[in-house]
Amino acid sequence: MSATAAALRELHHGRKPGDPLVLPGPWDAASAKVFADAGFPALATPSAGVAASLGYEDGQTPADEMFAAITRIVRAVDIPVTADVEAGYGLGAEELVGRLADAGAVGCNLEDTDHATGALRDPQEQADWLAQVRAAAGDALVINARIDTYLRGVPDEDETIRRGRLYAEAGADCVYPFCAPPAQLARLAGAIGLPVNAVVLPDGPAPRELGALGAARITFGPGLQRRTMAAVREMAEDLRAETTGRARTDRT
């Protein structure tokens, strides 16, 4: 499959319930290659996972370092990669689209949290921004509009739908109501009229269950990177125990 926006966009449509598009979240080139070799048709970088791999807190990665990491991930695989670029790093639409194109990403997440205040951005202002990104990119970018109502303490289904419809009118290809209750996914998808992205959480439904509940696209945020680091941490503790002659006592 060609690593193009058209190929990625097509993967979102015609999904059967229980068979969503599952996009693992690589945090570096090595993890990207593992997921691609496993047969996944596309990948979605997580900003928090990439940040952790670079030694930053989520939301603190400098734009140059984030785009460099995305470039390495894209270079490692021959399938479409969509990138979480948070709220756009304060870049103008033309520059943001250009930097994504230079990195080789054919999709992006753009969230409606104002990182300067930590509050939700005005939905019309966010829609206008998304429209600018769409105009700059044409069809060469799959835009996943993240809606942070539930994350920011506004668990209002009607407000989420209102934002989703505005973002759809602005040219978004799909919407991502982050941490929306799984039981609301079908209504959100139907009311907004776009494929809905759902995130897999540690204690939440599995990907196929989320698909059956209405999600057409599944991502993992930093979850896969954190699971990997938990395995590395256990390996390190075992190695330390072996080299010091002390047995681990914290196994459950």
Side-chain angles (χ1 to χ4, degrees):
M1 178 180 294
S2 299
T4 65
L8 178 59
R9 189 174 287 111
E10 181 64 25
L11 289 170
H12 290 74
H13 297 282
R15 311 300 309 190
K16 296 179 180 178
D19 182 31
L21 172 61
V22 177
L23 301 176
W27 53 94
D28 59 14
S31 58
K33 193 170 188 313
V34 169
F35 292 132
D37 288 347
F40 289 96
L43 303 174
T45 71
S47 64
V50 173
S53 76
L54 297 174
Y56 294 101
E57 295 296 321
D58 186 24
Q60 299 301 311
T61 309
D64 287 349
E65 292 197 45
M66 182 62 76
F67 284 110
I70 294 166
T71 301
R72 291 190 293 270
I73 288 168
V74 172
R75 190 171 57 216
V77 299
D78 60 1
I79 57 176
V81 175
T82 178
D84 183 351
V85 289
E86 303 177 269
Y89 306 111
L91 301 174
E94 292 276 357
E95 184 176 0
L96 176 64
V97 169
R99 296 196 71 169
L100 285 164
D102 289 344
V106 296
C108 69
N109 279 11
L110 286 170
E111 61 198 50
D112 60 3
T113 289
D114 182 337
H115 281 226
T117 65
L120 285 167
R121 192 176 186 190
D122 177 82
Q124 188 59 61
E125 289 181 2
Q126 180 69 3
D128 292 344
W129 159 244
L130 292 174
Q132 292 172 30
V133 174
R134 171 54 70 212
D139 292 334
L141 194 67
V142 175
I143 299 174
N144 187 31
R146 200 177 96 173
I147 306 170
D148 284 351
T149 45
Y150 297 94
L151 179 66
R152 299 300 172 191
V154 187
D156 185 321
E157 190 176 86
D158 290 337
E159 174 63 11
T160 301
I161 290 169
R162 183 171 78 94
R163 287 174 177 264
R165 286 175 172 168
L166 283 171
Y167 303 163
E169 292 171 4
D173 294 282
C174 47
V175 291
Y176 182 12
F178 190 68
C179 293
Q184 294 182 15
L185 292 172
R187 180 163 186 265
L188 292 173
I192 295 171
L194 288 180
V196 166
N197 187 138
V199 64
V200 175
L201 297 174
D203 298 323
R208 283 190 174 276
E209 294 176 86
L210 289 169
L213 288 167
R217 163 174 161 155
I218 305 297
T219 53
F220 298 84
L224 300 177
Q225 187 266 347
R226 289 174 179 171
R227 285 170 59 183
T228 300
M229 293 312 299
V232 172
R233 186 174 299 108
E234 183 168 325
M235 181 172 59
E237 291 170 353
D238 285 342
L239 180 60
R240 181 61 176 163
E242 290 172 7
T243 57
T244 60
R246 296 196 299 268
R248 281 184 56 180
T249 59
D250 60 347
R251 291 192 184 278
T252 58

